[in-house]
Each structure stands twice: as structure tokens, then as C-alpha cells.
Amino acid sequence: MRSRPARLAATSSPLPRKAAPPRSTRRDCHGRLLAALQALAGPDCAVEDGGQRPWCSATFVGAQHRIVLHLAGPDAWDRATVLTKTLPDAEFALVHHIVVDLAVDSVMDGQHGRVEMVLAVLTIEDW
């Protein structure tokens, strides 16, 4: 009878190996954030998806979002002014996420008499 080599004897076990626990799936709040901004900005606002990218720090996991709002109507500039003042402090109800920072990067004239607002939003996952 042949004996096992020493390196195999140490790693081989007659017991079955346990599978590693599955990794948690990342939860995405981008669509809910777009819907919340649409509701806050009103019906004469078109929300353009500028995209998102993953973000993390030593203690948090989240995403950076870039969103463009197109405000239409004769009072578009007035609404843009109000949104510029209220959005940074607005509360958003996003399941499993928290909006920790929202900045209005720019407000400018858009096409066809619209006003274009570019937003930068940082969200983190709330476990």
C-alpha cells in the first residue's frame, strides 16, 4: 500500500468542504433617486440620466450620481432658483440608501427655452 505525500495528507480531508457564503448583492437606488427628483421638480421637468459609478470610503459603500434636470415653461428660471436653494437640504426616502450629499453643479439656458440643471449626488448604502 502506498502512502500519501505529506503535502496532500495535510490538505485532504475526508469531510466535505463547506461552500463559502454568497456575496451580498449590491443594491441600486439610481432609479428611485431619479423618480424622487422628478416628483420634487414637478411635471414640467424632464430628468435625464447622467449615469452613476460606484463609490466607497474606508467605512461606507455607495454611488456617485450625475443627473441633469430640464425645466420647461415660462417660470422655469424661478423654479430652478427654488430648486437650487432647496435640493441640497431635501430629504429623500430611498430604501436601504441615504443621500449624504447633493450639489447643484450648474444652472444654464438649455434648448427651446428650457433651463438645464446639473446635479451631483452621493448616496451610501444603509445596512
Side-chain angles (χ1 to χ4, degrees):
M1 180 169 169
R2 294 174 65 183
S3 65
R4 289 183 167 178
R7 64 181 165 80
L8 284 179
T11 59
S12 297
S13 170
L15 301 174
R17 292 183 120 196
K18 273 187 168 178
R23 291 183 132 173
S24 62
T25 57
R26 303 217 47 189
R27 296 175 279 196
D28 182 16
C29 70
H30 192 69
R32 292 188 301 265
L33 178 60
L34 294 175
L37 285 168
Q38 175 73 56
L40 193 61
D44 287 341
C45 176
V47 178
E48 181 183 324
D49 180 6
Q52 70 172 353
R53 67 180 185 179
W55 175 91
C56 67
S57 70
T59 52
F60 299 107
V61 174
Q64 292 176 324
H65 309 264
R66 184 179 184 284
I67 300 164
V68 181
L69 303 179
H70 298 280
L71 302 169
D75 62 340
W77 273 105
D78 294 334
R79 289 186 332 191
T81 302
V82 170
L83 285 171
T84 300
K85 292 177 183 174
T86 59
L87 277 177
D89 297 323
E91 295 287 329
F92 295 92
L94 302 175
V95 179
H96 301 297
H97 289 82
I98 301 169
V99 174
V100 292
D101 189 31
L102 188 151
V104 179
D105 283 347
S106 66
V107 180
M108 62 189 123
D109 284 322
Q111 297 176 350
H112 310 294
R114 299 166 108 187
V115 176
E116 180 177 291
M117 297 179 68
V118 179
L119 309 178
V121 184
L122 177 63
T123 58
I124 59 171
E125 293 184 10
D126 181 23
W127 297 92

